[in-house]
Structure formats: structure tokens, C-alpha cells
Amino acid sequence: MIRVVLPAHLRTLAHVGFEVTLEIPAPVTLSSVLDGLEARYPMLQGTIRDHVSRKRRAFLRFFACQQDLSHESPDKELPEPVATGKEPLVIIGAIAGG
């Protein structure tokens, strides 16, 4: 089971709590987790990644095991603690303002 922590605005949109769990077959990559997340919660499609380019939305960041994975290849395997469910994949919404 993969654990994913979502930012408040995406939790509200998906009608879920602080953390969701997903069954993702190996190899566990950021792309496979996001595919599983969007399949289970279709209302999140296009909110985390662009519909066409599949690139991360500008105001979202991905963290795992205290590492920023936002600029890593989405096909790179996630750290073992995340792949085994010991640690969550954390999606953080950035705050912008002036």
C-alpha cells in the first residue's frame, strides 16, 4: 500500500481525509502513483498534472523521505520506504502572493 498525503484543496475536491492509500504494483514511480491517484479519484485529473503534457502543475511539489522529488523524472522509482508504505508521498501546495 502506498500512502499519499494531499494538500487541503485537493482533499476537499476528492472528499478524502489527510492521507489516502493506493495499491500500486512494482515498480512504484511517481508517475504510477499519480496514475493510480487519478484513476481512483477522477476529480483530481488535471489538478496535479497538466492534461496534455502530464507535467507537474507549477504550484505543487512532491516530497518523499524528506527529499524534494518535484524535478526528478516521473519514471524514477520512489524510495523504498515510500514503495513499502512506511513513509508517505507528500504533495504540497505552494503559496504565492505579493
Side-chain angles (χ1 to χ4, degrees):
M1 290 296 249
I2 306 302
R3 298 166 42 211
V4 181
V5 174
L6 295 171
H9 70 287
L10 295 181
R11 289 194 307 262
T12 300
L13 184 62
H15 304 286
V16 297
F18 180 74
E19 184 176 286
V20 298
T21 57
L22 303 167
E23 278 289 334
I24 305 295
V28 178
T29 65
L30 183 58
S31 184
S32 67
V33 171
L34 295 178
D35 288 344
L37 190 63
E38 290 174 346
R40 185 163 175 195
Y41 303 101
M43 66 285 288
L44 296 179
Q45 291 178 355
T47 62
I48 299 171
R49 301 181 288 186
D50 181 80
H51 283 289
V52 177
S53 70
R54 311 291 284 167
K55 290 185 181 181
R56 169 183 63 88
R57 293 282 181 191
F59 291 105
L60 291 176
R61 304 295 292 247
F62 306 122
F63 288 87
C65 301
Q66 300 179 3
Q67 298 176 349
D68 185 353
L69 305 178
S70 304
H71 298 289
E72 299 288 331
S73 167
D75 297 321
K76 180 180 176 182
E77 287 191 41
L78 293 176
E80 183 268 336
V82 174
T84 59
K86 293 177 188 169
E87 293 285 332
L89 171 67
V90 180
I91 302 174
I92 296 178
I95 299 174

